[in-house]
């Protein structure tokens, strides 16, 4: 593209170079020269029009219908070949998911250490945040068109499911749900990207830091100005509709989750408890879930003692457990030099 024939000062040339380097999509150069007769402004307007026209073409080429089962890779290559764009210029399809819409992308067979499952992938735009997420669901058996299908709606927990954290029961509940639908040869586990009850991974780590000073999971969020729970379940409704599931038996301990799903229009006919055994590090978290967030745990967080023994019931724990107060903290050692060996208070 030719520029107007004009002299450029050293400062203007440097400004031009910086402008070109600052953006890969910069279609024009505005010269800081009063003698260019408005040429810079004309080029800017022309570049803006060209950029908008190119974006409209991309948007038309990459939009997919909700019923499309194209994989991300095949859709990417298809739209790139149609529009003539390179991989660097390609705009992901997920940018164009309609508001509050959940798009089915693909299904595959997945072998796991627990058995063989059907794995389905979706893209979803949140109705309030407008953030694009990618829900998935693990399916065992043919659930389409059935009633009272066992369904677990599980929210992501990177710290426990990937890093092996013992501070919560999330990984245990996920494993329990996958094993339940396998053993019963029917069911669905819907996995949502809603880390830390919706506040996100970094905020969750910040809340963990606050908890080190003694706050529980609810108070830690509030001290950081974060909500107790902002998870939403419109994607679940759409996935249940996509699978043509008439009603669900929900695997949960959380009354709020039942209420939110019913508000979304999901027909919840019964509840399947997902109570796991606590450990020395998850006791306080589970206690807060039951006492402050009304989770139905039946005092399961009491089923172990300060020596680390685990019992099958609260009565057995009360009868046989060692509940001496060792008054240890994270940084203190006992008489044998063990750190937090006999309980954390």
């Amino acid at each position: 593209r030719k520029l107007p024939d004009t002299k450029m000062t050293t400062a203007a040339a440097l400004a031009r170079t910086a402008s070109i380097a600052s953006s890969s999509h910069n279609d024009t150069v505005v010269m800081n020269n009063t003698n260019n007769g408005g040429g810079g402004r004309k080029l800017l307007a022309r570049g803006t029009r060209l950029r908008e026209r190119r974006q409209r073409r991309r948007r038309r080429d990459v939009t997919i219908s909700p019923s499309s089962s194209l994989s991300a890779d095949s859709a990417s290559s298809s739209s790139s070949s149609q529009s003539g764009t390179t991989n660097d210029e390609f705009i992901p399809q997920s940018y164009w998911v309609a508001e509050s819409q959940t798009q089915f992308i693909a299904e595959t067979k997945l072998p796991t250490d627990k058995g063989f499952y059907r794995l389905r992938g979706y893209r979803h735009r949140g109705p309030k945040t407008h953030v694009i997420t990618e829900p998935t669901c693990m399916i065992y058996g043919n659930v389409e068109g059935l009633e009272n299908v066992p369904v677990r709606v599980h929210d992501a927990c990177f710290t426990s499911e990937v890093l092996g954290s013992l501070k919560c029961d999330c990984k245990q509940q996920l494993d329990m749900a996958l094993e339940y639908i396998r053993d019963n040869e029917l069911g669905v586990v819907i996995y949502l990207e809603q880390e830390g009850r919706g506040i996100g991974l970094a905020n969750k780590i910040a809340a963990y830091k606050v908890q080190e000073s003694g706050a529980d999971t609810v108070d830690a969020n509030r001290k950081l100005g974060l909500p107790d729970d902002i998870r939403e379940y419109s994607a679940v409704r759409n996935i249940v509709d996509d699978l043509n599931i008439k009603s669900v038996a929900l695997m949960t301990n959380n009354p709020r989750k039942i209420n939110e799903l019913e508000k979304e229009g999901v027909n919840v006919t019964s509840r399947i408890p997902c109570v796991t055994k606590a450990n020395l590090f998850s006791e306080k978290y589970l206690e807060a879930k039951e006492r402050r967030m009304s989770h139905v745990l039946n005092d399961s967080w009491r089923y172990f003692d300060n020596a680390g023994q685990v019992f099958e019931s609260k009565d057995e724990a009360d009868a046989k457990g060692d509940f001496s107060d060792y008054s240890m903290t994270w940084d203190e050692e006992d008489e044998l030099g063990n750190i937090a060996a006999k309980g954390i208070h």
Side-chain angles (χ1 to χ4, degrees), residues 28-316:
T28 185
V29 175
V30 179
M31 295 182 295
N32 185 18
N33 191 325
T34 57
N35 298 322
N36 65 9
R41 287 191 297 274
K42 293 178 182 178
L43 281 173
L44 177 62
R46 181 184 178 191
T48 300
R49 289 195 300 272
L50 290 173
R51 188 160 51 246
E52 290 175 350
R53 192 178 308 154
R54 188 158 55 240
Q55 289 173 349
R56 285 195 298 271
R57 285 200 302 268
R58 290 174 185 165
R59 186 178 300 117
R60 183 185 64 248
D61 291 336
V62 302
T63 301
I64 62 176
S65 64
S67 60
S68 172
S69 59
L70 287 175
S71 67
D73 293 338
S74 62
S76 173
S77 60
S78 173
S79 59
S80 295
S81 62
Q82 292 174 5
S83 63
T85 59
T86 65
N87 289 335
D88 292 337
E89 295 174 325
F90 177 68
I91 299 176
Q93 298 165 2
S94 58
Y95 286 3
W96 312 114
V97 177
E99 186 173 338
S100 302
Q101 180 177 313
T102 306
Q103 293 181 348
F104 167 65
I105 302 301
E107 176 177 324
T108 187
K109 296 177 181 178
L110 188 70
T112 75
D113 58 354
K114 294 178 175 57
F116 293 85
Y117 297 83
R118 297 164 53 193
L119 175 64
R120 290 172 70 87
Y122 295 84
R123 288 199 184 96
H124 174 73
R125 182 187 293 274
K128 295 181 180 178
T129 63
H130 307 291
V131 172
I132 300 296
T133 59
E134 296 188 328
T136 56
C137 62
M138 294 277 278
I139 305 171
Y140 204 100
N142 297 317
V143 299
E144 287 82 355
L146 299 183
E147 298 179 349
N148 301 318
V149 176
V151 173
R152 165 74 181 166
V153 177
H154 189 89
D155 298 289
C157 180
F158 177 85
T159 47
S160 71
E161 294 158 8
V162 177
L163 303 181
S165 169
L166 299 176
K167 288 174 64 67
C168 65
D169 60 343
C170 300
K171 185 180 187 303
Q172 292 170 283
Q173 288 187 313
L174 178 60
D175 290 341
M176 180 183 292
L178 290 171
E179 291 166 2
Y180 183 93
I181 65 174
R182 177 202 63 195
D183 295 343
N184 289 272
E185 299 183 348
L186 189 74
V188 181
V189 175
I190 299 174
Y191 192 91
L192 304 177
E193 296 178 326
Q194 299 191 121
E195 185 84 32
R197 302 194 299 275
I199 64 174
L201 180 57
N203 282 333
K204 175 181 171 180
I205 294 172
Y208 275 2
K209 178 62 178 177
V210 175
Q211 290 174 36
E212 290 181 7
S213 63
D216 64 24
T217 182
V218 175
D219 287 336
N221 280 23
R222 293 176 180 179
K223 287 184 178 182
L224 293 171
L226 299 169
D228 298 345
D229 193 336
I230 54 171
R231 290 173 291 183
E232 66 90 19
Y233 299 105
S234 58
V236 176
R237 175 199 64 217
N238 295 336
I239 292 173
V240 168
D241 289 345
D242 177 59
L243 293 171
N244 194 28
I245 294 175
K246 306 301 182 182
S247 61
V248 305
L250 193 64
M251 290 184 273
T252 186
N253 306 318
N254 186 359
R256 178 186 180 273
K257 189 175 290 184
I258 297 174
N259 293 334
E260 291 298 316
L261 287 174
E262 288 179 336
K263 289 179 183 177
E264 291 289 346
V266 178
N267 184 10
V268 181
T269 55
S270 61
R271 183 182 73 88
I272 302 172
C274 288
V275 179
T276 64
K277 291 182 179 179
N279 62 59
L280 292 172
F281 303 95
S282 65
E283 174 199 18
K284 193 168 185 179
Y285 172 72
L286 296 177
E287 180 183 1
K289 284 176 74 172
E290 182 165 40
R291 291 184 171 179
R292 305 198 63 184
M293 293 186 282
S294 302
H295 286 221
V296 184
L297 299 178
N298 302 321
D299 282 348
S300 65
W301 48 274
R302 294 182 181 273
Y303 295 179
F304 73 98
D305 65 5
N306 287 343
Q309 302 177 86
V310 179
F311 304 95
E312 294 298 326
S313 68
K314 179 179 180 298
D315 292 339
E316 184 183 0

